[in-house]
Amino acid sequence: MKGINHLVLAGHDLEAMRSQYAGLGFTVTPRGQHPFGTGNSLIQLNGSYLELLAVTAPQDIPEHRAGHFSFAAFNRDYLARHEGFSMLVLDTPDARADGKAWRAAGLQTYEPFDFSRTARLADGQEITVSFSLAFVSHPAAPRLGLFACQHHTPGYFAQPRYMQHGNGATAVADVWIVGDTAPDLAGFMQTITGAKATGEDPAISDDPSVTTLQTRIGAIVWLARRHLRALSASPRRIRKTDRTSLR
C-alpha cells in the first residue's frame, strides 16, 4: 500500500510563498532548482512533506509529448489558471514497477522520469538528491496531477532540524479531492494506491457520499462538488469537517 509522499503547492512567487509559510510557523528549507525550469522549497513532516513550487526558468520547461509527461509544463499550465494544490504525490520503492503495473491495469501511464538536483543540508553541506517518477492520469480528471516518487536519497527529506515547526505541525492528515467527476475516481485511486475505500468516515462527515481512502500515510477523501456545498451548508457537518489537513 502506498502513502502520501508529498503535496505540490504551486505559486507565482517562490520567495513570497516561503515568507508566507514561515509566517504561519513552518520551518522552510533553502531554495532548490530543478533542471526543467521550476524551483522549490520544502516543509518536511513525518513521512511526507509540502513542496512549495514556482516556475523560475520558463525557458527551460520541456513540453508534454507523446508518452512523456512534463511535470514543469503541468504546473506552468496550472498556474495560468490559479495558484494552489497542484499535484498529489505518492511514495514508492520502485517507480518503474509502478508504471508497469498501472499500464497492465489499463491506466494511462507515461515513460519513467529520472532527475537530480543539488540541495543543502541543515548544516550547510551541499549534496545531490535524485528521484525517479512514475506519472499516471485519468480522463475524467485531466487537471489532477498525480505521480509516484521514488527517492534515491531519502534521508534528505527527514532532517530533524527542518521537521521542527513552531506551529506544532507534524504530518499530513488528509487530502480532499473535490469535483464533479471526483466519485468516478474511486476505482482508479484504489488501483493507484493499493488501498481500499473505507466509505463513510464518521470522523470527517456523516454523509455517505463522502468516500475515504486510508493510505499508509494520510487519507485521501473525495466527493462531488454538490456534496461539498451540502456539507458546508450544515453547521453540524461543518464542525466535523472543520479540521486542518496538517496535524
Side-chain angles (χ1 to χ4, degrees):
M1 180 190 299
K2 296 190 181 306
I4 297 172
N5 181 264
H6 69 279
L7 310 179
V8 180
L9 307 180
H12 295 297
D13 186 330
L14 183 55
E15 281 306 311
M17 294 176 70
R18 295 174 78 266
S19 296
Q20 178 184 11
Y21 278 86
L24 292 172
F26 291 104
T27 301
V28 184
T29 68
R31 288 179 62 128
Q33 180 62 39
H34 296 138
F36 37 78
T38 52
N40 70 358
S41 285
L42 309 181
I43 296 172
Q44 298 184 1
L45 301 159
N46 292 331
S48 60
Y49 59 94
L50 307 180
E51 179 179 10
L52 310 182
L53 184 103
V55 172
T56 51
Q59 70 278 6
D60 294 337
I61 295 179
E63 298 299 332
H64 298 293
R65 55 192 176 91
H68 295 265
F69 187 98
S70 173
F71 170 91
F74 179 91
N75 281 283
R76 176 202 61 198
D77 297 345
Y78 179 93
L79 285 168
R81 298 186 298 271
H82 49 70
E83 298 179 290
F85 167 39
S86 63
M87 305 189 84
L88 169 62
V89 189
L90 303 171
D91 59 14
T92 181
D94 192 335
R96 280 172 166 73
D98 284 339
K100 291 178 181 177
W102 295 341
R103 189 161 49 253
L107 304 183
Q108 175 61 60
T109 60
Y110 306 85
E111 289 298 315
F113 181 69
D114 305 303
F115 76 97
S116 300
R117 69 171 179 87
T118 58
R120 193 175 298 278
L121 296 173
D123 63 6
Q125 179 185 353
E126 215 172 61
I127 64 169
T128 298
V129 291
S130 300
F131 312 81
S132 294
L133 312 182
F135 293 97
V136 63
S137 62
H138 192 289
R143 293 182 178 177
L144 172 64
L146 183 63
F147 65 94
C149 180
Q150 178 182 357
H151 290 293
H152 298 294
T153 45
Y156 170 75
F157 300 90
Q159 298 180 69
R161 177 178 167 185
Y162 289 137
M163 295 172 69
Q164 297 176 10
H165 303 287
N167 58 18
T170 60
V172 173
D174 48 61
V175 175
W176 287 57
I177 299 173
V178 180
D180 295 333
T181 60
D184 300 333
L185 300 177
F188 169 72
M189 293 300 293
Q190 289 179 54
T191 300
I192 295 300
T193 62
K196 293 183 178 180
T198 61
E200 177 186 338
D201 184 346
I204 297 175
S205 170
D206 57 4
D207 190 329
S209 66
V210 179
T211 305
T212 303
L213 188 71
Q214 183 62 55
T215 76
R216 189 175 59 80
I217 300 175
I220 301 171
V221 183
W222 65 88
L223 72 163
R225 198 182 312 274
R226 62 184 181 278
H227 295 309
L228 179 64
R229 296 191 188 101
L231 288 173
S232 301
S234 169
R236 181 167 56 89
R237 289 172 177 172
I238 287 174
R239 283 196 297 272
K240 288 191 175 184
T241 58
D242 185 18
R243 67 177 195 174
T244 180
S245 291
L246 295 172
R247 62 185 179 199

